[in-house]
């Protein structure tokens, strides 16, 4: 769908959307070539395909260099296309097992393993709920415990 | 094609359809359930796949308009600030619901008497109490006994972990002197009867691959099918038919798995299609006897649609909250502001429910039920590094009041894949709800700060969550007066003696709690009444 040059432009834009995170050692979205993910999805989605083509065309016409300022312009001038792009970028980036793992999630399918969440002890729950129990009932009982029709 | 007549025909294999089938098993009547969707196989659960989250925005979206699967029908929500969400298939919305399981409260059944709003139900909490108990055992409910917001009741499984998030929020409520309690959940905290306990995957909305969540596909249907209830899947009912001489329902026409139209005759027809699907089918079943829709002499079929309008407030804490671990919507719940207090400036009240936060993807895309991606660039990194991991939030779950203009009608143009008109939703937020939301947001803010939040994220609009029409109620309400209700106090149509409705459409008021526990208790209650009245059922 896109030429190599066009893919490079798209990845440059994605680098701006999700930049590299040095603190967590996470690469930027373009560096991870999330453009390939987006283009693959666009091949099955005519609206997305049109939006991506429109963005690349705009970038080719307007930008010598993809910068945050350019991306802001893109966002202002092509808002619905930009929303498509940002949505697919976030999906592509955060669905990667390597990214999930670095963010503390299960890298792979989350069943059957799940996560270990410590069960509160009875003592802890008792202590936490004690102030609530001390106050007593807080519900209204308009029929005083009687059924209708009884 | 015509089939052998059955004694009982249930339309819909979700929460209420399964429960009523179970209740009627002992009658040994021949029971058939028609369900427009199919069974979900183990391999189809997204959480068993690598790219599981992407399903949330595609074939496993809670929004049928996004999913667009064969069994889904489109819904026109252009005139609504909330769009209905559901699952169509065996289990119904218990496939993708979040299994939060609070009961309605005694005052919910008496809003007219107590607060001069809505109408009183013709039954009350204590009529349903034994059926809540039976259903909780059947489903497998976990929680902590002793909740002071309710009459005492038993819970068979210990609570699921509330996690660091729940413990933190609980301290906030304690600091304010406000009620809170660990959530009752239809999720197993220990293995039970061949079902695995919850593994805290946090993907409840994508179906529960572990079988821990109390969807009727795991709880009721295996037993029902073994006991001889016929479950005919991929069978979409288009019309309920009436014998014009007797005024009784005598069966349905449905689109079968073979693509043909079938006729199924039945002695008793029970509708379990949810608060949107049931009025839709009734309105589409008009006849000479019922020109305004079947069982609609009151004119109320489709009217008084109630949702639970939702919005949320989140706090940013010092500690990581690990909100992606554990059942999505279930940690703790406060009913401090549930009962009416006129000094607040609105009638009835709301719950504050803790939501565990979602995964990075869902959060970046705006959070569950919201389509509003977070900013890009350095701001994105700032949010994902310094806000997302430290979030704990509260959802304000408001009681909707019944208003006739909030309604389900048939769309003039939009149709499903079988040519049946789609439902059209007309819904606006009431002034009472708006006042409640404002109050709830302010209280949520206070308690988050009391819990130690370093900042509370501002909500800069008056919107409620769009993709949040989980609870669809009121559209065929029950009552003793046929001019003011569609069904009687045990779900029987005032107009058609062998037609019953058992889903959330028969609710008179909405309460401010998730309705499924009450929907199933009500279905069991109705089943019991049918059995008690079996000798004179059609009199």
């Amino acid at each position: 769908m896109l030429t190599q040059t066009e893919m490079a432009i798209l990845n440059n834009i994605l680098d701006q959307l999700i930049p590299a995170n040095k603190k967590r050692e996470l690469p930027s979205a373009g560096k991870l070539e999330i453009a390939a993910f987006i283009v693959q999805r666009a091949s099955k989605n005519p609206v997305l395909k049109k939006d991506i083509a429109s963005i690349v065309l705009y970038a080719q016409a307007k930008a010598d260099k993809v910068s945050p300022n350019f991306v802001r312009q893109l966002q202002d001038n092509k808002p619905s296309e930009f929303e498509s792009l940002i949505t697919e970028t976030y999906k592509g980036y955060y669905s990667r097992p390597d990214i999930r793992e670095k963010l503390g999630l299960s890298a792979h399918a989350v069943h059957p393993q799940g996560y270990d969440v410590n069960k509160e002890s009875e003592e802890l729950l008792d202590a936490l709920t004690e102030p609530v129990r001390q106050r007593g009932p807080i519900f209204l009982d308009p029929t005083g415990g009687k059924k209708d029709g009884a | 094609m015509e089939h052998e007549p059955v004694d009982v025909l249930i339309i819909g294999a979700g929460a209420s359809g399964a429960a009523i089938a179970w209740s009627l098993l002992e009658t040994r009547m021949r029971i058939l359930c028609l369900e427009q969707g199919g069974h979900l196989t183990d391999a189809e659960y997204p959480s068993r796949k690598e790219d599981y989250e992407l399903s949330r925005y595609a074939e496993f979206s809670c929004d049928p308009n996004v999913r667009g699967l064969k069994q889904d029908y489109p819904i026109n929500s252009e005139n609504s600030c909330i769009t209905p969400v559901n699952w169509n298939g065996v289990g119904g919305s218990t496939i993708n619901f979040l299994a939060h399981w609070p009961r309605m409260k005694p005052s919910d059944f008496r809003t007219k008497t107590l607060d001069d709003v809505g109408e009183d139900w013709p039954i009350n909490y204590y009529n349903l109490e034994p059926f809540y108990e039976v259903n909780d055992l059947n489903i497998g409910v976990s929680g902590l006994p002793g909740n002071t917001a309710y009459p005492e009741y038993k819970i068979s499984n210990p609570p699921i972990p509330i996690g660091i998030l729940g413990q933190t929020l609980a301290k906030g409520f304690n600091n304010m002197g406000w009620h809170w309690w660990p959530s009752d959940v239809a999720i197993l905290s220990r293995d039970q009867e061949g079902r695995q306990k919850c593994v805290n995957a946090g993907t409840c909305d994508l179906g529960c691959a572990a079988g821990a969540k109390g969807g009727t596909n795991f709880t009721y249907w295996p037993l029902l099918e073994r006991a001889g209830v016929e479950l005919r899947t991929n069978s979409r009912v288009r019309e309920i038919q009436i014998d014009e001489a007797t005024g009784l329902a005598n069966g349905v026409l449905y689109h079968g798995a073979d693509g043909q139209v079938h006729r199924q005759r039945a002695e008793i027809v029970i509708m379990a299609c949810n608060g949107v699907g049931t009025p839709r089918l009734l309105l589409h079943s008009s006849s000479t006897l019922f020109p305004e829709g079947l069982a609609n002499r009151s004119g109320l079929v489709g009217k008084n649609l109630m949702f639970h309008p939702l919005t949320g407030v989140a706090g940013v804490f010092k500690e990581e909250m690990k909100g992606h671990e554990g059942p999505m919507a279930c940690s703790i719940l406060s009913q401090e502001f549930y009962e009416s207090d006129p000094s607040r400036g609105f009638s009835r009240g709301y719950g504050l429910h803790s939501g565990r936060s979602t995964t990075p993807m869902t959060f970046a895309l705006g959070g569950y039920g919201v389509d509003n991606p977070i900013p890009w660039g350095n701001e994105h990194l700032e949010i994902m590094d310094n806000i997302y991991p430290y979030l704990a939030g509260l959802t304000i779950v408001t009681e909707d009041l019944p208003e006739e203009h909030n309604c389900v009608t048939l769309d003039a143009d939009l149709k499903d894949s079988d040519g049946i008109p789609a439902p059209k939703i007309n819904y606006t937020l009431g002034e009472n709800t708006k006042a409640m939301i404002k109050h709830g947001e302010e209280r949520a803010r206070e308690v988050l700060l009391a819990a130690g939040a370093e900042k509370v994220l501002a909500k800069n609009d008056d919107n409620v969550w769009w993709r949040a029409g989980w609870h669809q109620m009121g559209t065929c309400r029950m009552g003793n007066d046929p001019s003011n209700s569609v069904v009687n106090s045990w779900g029987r149509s005032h107009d058609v003696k062998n037609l019953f409705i058992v889903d959330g459409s028969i609710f008179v008021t909405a309460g401010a709690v998730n309705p499924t526990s009450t929907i199933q208790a009500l279905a069991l209650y109705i089943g019991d009444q049918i059995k008690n009245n079996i000798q004179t059922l059609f009199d």
Side-chain angles (χ1 to χ4, degrees):
Chain A
M1 179 188 135
L2 297 184
T3 65
Q4 228 172 341
T5 311
E6 289 166 338
M7 290 288 275
I9 292 173
L10 189 57
N11 274 323
N12 285 344
I13 296 173
L14 303 190
D15 279 338
Q16 298 295 327
L17 298 186
I18 306 182
N21 186 330
K22 293 190 178 90
K23 185 169 126 184
R24 295 210 197 199
E25 296 177 3
L26 295 172
S28 60
K31 186 92 173 162
L32 284 178
E33 299 195 10
I34 301 296
F37 168 91
I38 295 173
V39 163
Q40 201 269 333
R41 284 168 70 83
S43 69
K44 299 176 193 162
N45 182 336
V47 172
L48 179 61
K49 187 173 179 180
K50 190 162 145 293
D51 287 346
I52 298 306
S54 171
I55 284 172
V56 169
L57 214 61
Y58 183 89
Q60 283 174 322
K62 298 278 185 189
D64 297 326
K65 184 178 143 145
V66 173
S67 65
N69 273 339
F70 164 74
V71 176
R72 262 177 235 117
Q73 252 182 51
L74 177 64
Q75 185 174 21
D76 288 340
N77 293 326
K78 292 200 166 283
S80 68
E81 293 90 337
F82 188 81
E83 183 156 334
S84 283
L85 178 66
I86 207 167
T87 299
E88 295 304 313
T89 303
Y90 290 173
K91 284 179 187 171
Y93 190 85
Y94 289 110
S95 62
R96 288 178 62 103
D98 52 347
I99 297 295
R100 280 206 295 255
E101 191 164 34
K102 290 201 170 168
L103 294 174
L105 268 70
S106 167
H108 300 291
V110 79
H111 272 115
Q113 205 125 345
Y115 299 105
D116 278 325
V117 178
N118 288 335
K119 194 163 144 12
E120 290 78 25
S121 66
E122 271 186 42
E123 291 74 23
L124 176 58
L125 276 181
D126 276 348
L128 282 173
T129 56
E130 175 60 19
V132 181
R133 283 182 278 113
Q134 286 247 328
R135 284 177 66 207
I138 62 159
F139 63 93
L140 295 179
D141 199 351
T143 68
K146 292 200 188 99
K147 295 180 189 185
D148 277 330
Chain B
M1 181 180 169
E2 180 122 7
H3 295 266
E4 280 279 311
V6 296
D7 299 311
V8 178
L9 170 59
I10 300 170
I11 308 171
S16 55
I20 189 104
W22 182 84
S23 176
L24 295 179
L25 266 182
E26 63 170 308
T27 65
R28 298 198 171 275
M29 289 196 281
R30 185 172 166 193
I31 303 172
L32 164 67
C33 178
L34 293 177
E35 164 53 54
Q36 64 190 327
H39 287 282
L40 204 56
T41 65
D42 186 69
E44 285 173 301
Y45 285 105
S47 56
R48 293 216 185 274
K49 302 179 192 174
E50 293 287 325
D51 59 353
Y52 60 94
E53 280 194 280
L54 294 175
S55 303
R56 188 170 281 142
Y57 302 95
E59 79 280 8
F60 237 95
S61 172
C62 58
D63 184 343
N65 289 339
V66 171
R67 288 197 304 269
L69 300 173
K70 186 169 175 296
Q71 65 264 34
D72 292 319
Y73 52 87
I75 301 177
N76 181 344
S77 308
E78 285 167 4
N79 286 354
S80 175
C81 57
I82 299 173
T83 193
V85 293
N86 63 27
W87 180 264
N88 293 309
V90 177
S93 300
T94 66
I95 291 291
N96 62 353
F97 81 151
L98 305 184
H100 203 185
W101 206 250
R103 297 180 180 188
M104 284 178 86
K105 295 152 72 75
S107 67
D108 289 324
F109 298 85
R110 284 289 182 276
T111 62
K112 184 75 177 171
T113 299
L114 288 173
D115 303 308
D116 200 25
V117 292
E119 295 292 338
D120 287 347
W121 291 56
I123 57 171
N124 67 44
Y125 176 88
Y126 297 101
N127 294 103
L128 295 184
E129 196 176 35
F131 302 98
Y132 277 125
E133 193 172 320
V134 163
N135 192 54
D136 283 358
L137 285 171
N138 288 344
I139 293 294
V141 174
S142 304
L144 186 69
N147 188 346
T148 56
Y150 286 89
E152 210 174 304
Y153 59 88
K154 294 182 225 159
I155 305 180
S156 53
N157 295 304
I160 56 167
I162 64 174
I164 186 72
L165 184 146
Q167 291 169 34
T168 303
L169 294 174
K171 288 171 189 162
F173 282 104
N174 283 343
N175 286 341
M176 297 300 291
W178 293 349
H179 171 269
W180 72 276
W181 204 256
S183 299
D184 285 359
V185 298
I187 294 173
L188 294 176
S189 57
R190 51 190 176 194
D191 294 350
Q192 181 176 298
E193 290 174 10
R195 287 168 55 203
Q196 187 191 359
K197 71 177 181 184
C198 179
V199 297
N200 299 300
T203 49
C204 311
D205 64 318
L206 303 178
C208 181
K213 195 175 72 165
T216 62
N217 58 319
F218 293 128
T219 55
Y220 280 116
W221 279 111
L223 183 156
L224 288 168
E225 289 195 272
R226 280 198 303 272
V229 172
E230 184 188 351
L231 175 55
R232 207 176 287 165
T233 56
N234 300 303
S235 300
R236 173 181 279 157
V237 176
R238 68 173 292 117
E239 184 185 329
I240 299 171
Q241 297 188 307
I242 287 285
D243 180 332
E244 304 240 337
T246 61
L248 292 175
N250 60 17
V252 302
L253 290 179
Y254 71 93
H255 295 270
D258 59 2
Q260 303 300 310
V261 176
H262 297 245
R263 176 151 153 70
Q264 176 64 60
R265 285 174 291 144
E267 294 294 315
I268 297 170
V269 177
I270 301 180
M271 302 186 76
C273 315
N274 79 37
V276 169
T278 284
R280 175 197 185 212
L281 182 52
L282 288 173
L283 292 171
H284 194 243
S285 300
S286 56
S287 61
T288 323
L289 269 184
F290 295 99
E292 303 303 321
L294 181 60
N296 194 21
R297 291 205 177 106
S298 65
L300 289 178
V301 167
K303 295 194 180 150
N304 297 298
L305 171 65
M306 296 175 285
F307 292 122
H308 286 127
L310 306 176
T311 189
V313 184
V316 184
F317 292 81
K318 266 201 212 82
E319 225 180 321
E320 285 201 15
M321 289 287 133
K322 297 195 176 292
H324 59 277
E325 296 176 2
M328 285 172 88
C330 306
S331 177
I332 71 169
L333 148 66
S334 168
Q335 295 185 333
E336 180 67 23
F337 303 100
Y338 196 102
E339 307 286 10
S340 277
D341 179 344
S343 70
R344 294 180 197 143
F346 53 84
S347 299
R348 307 299 300 150
Y350 59 88
L352 293 171
H353 296 202
S354 69
R356 300 194 207 240
S357 73
T358 50
T359 54
M361 182 199 293
T362 302
F363 177 74
L365 290 170
Y368 193 75
V370 181
D371 295 337
N372 192 11
I374 66 172
W376 53 274
N378 289 332
E379 213 180 331
H380 183 93
L381 297 185
E382 166 66 23
I383 292 170
M384 294 306 287
D385 280 353
N386 298 322
I387 291 185
Y388 165 71
Y390 306 98
L391 280 175
L394 289 166
T395 304
I396 296 112
V397 180
T398 57
E399 173 164 0
D400 223 1
L401 295 181
E403 296 181 78
E404 266 191 41
H405 65 266
N406 288 335
C407 62
V408 178
T409 56
L410 293 181
D411 196 276
D413 301 308
L414 188 62
K415 295 184 186 338
D416 68 18
S417 56
D418 291 308
I420 305 169
K424 181 174 170 147
I425 311 299
N426 294 287
Y427 177 89
T428 51
L429 276 186
E431 293 306 312
N432 194 71
T433 304
K434 288 178 190 171
M436 210 184 278
I437 286 171
K438 190 163 179 309
H439 191 272
E441 286 175 341
E442 287 165 4
R443 302 292 82 73
R445 184 184 174 79
E446 286 169 11
V447 76
L448 288 167
L449 291 171
E454 295 190 314
K455 70 174 162 183
V456 175
L457 300 183
K459 186 170 166 288
N460 296 319
D461 57 52
D462 290 331
N463 295 335
V464 290
W465 292 348
W466 159 246
R467 199 164 275 126
W470 285 98
H471 311 149
Q472 305 147 21
M473 301 161 286
T475 46
C476 295
R477 72 181 180 198
M478 36 166 39
N480 292 325
D481 178 359
S483 71
N484 196 26
S485 54
V486 175
V487 299
N488 72 4
S489 64
W490 42 288
R492 187 171 80 173
S493 159
H494 290 300
D495 303 336
V496 182
K497 296 279 183 269
N498 65 339
L499 178 68
F500 294 82
I501 305 175
V502 296
D503 57 52
S505 57
I506 64 177
F507 276 36
V508 182
T509 55
V513 285
N514 315 59
T516 312
S517 170
T518 303
I519 286 173
Q520 290 196 310
L522 198 42
L524 293 181
Y525 169 80
I526 290 170
D528 203 59
Q529 293 297 310
I530 289 174
K531 290 180 289 194
N532 290 343
N533 289 283
I534 200 87
Q535 301 297 334
T536 55
L537 201 58
F538 303 154
D539 292 356

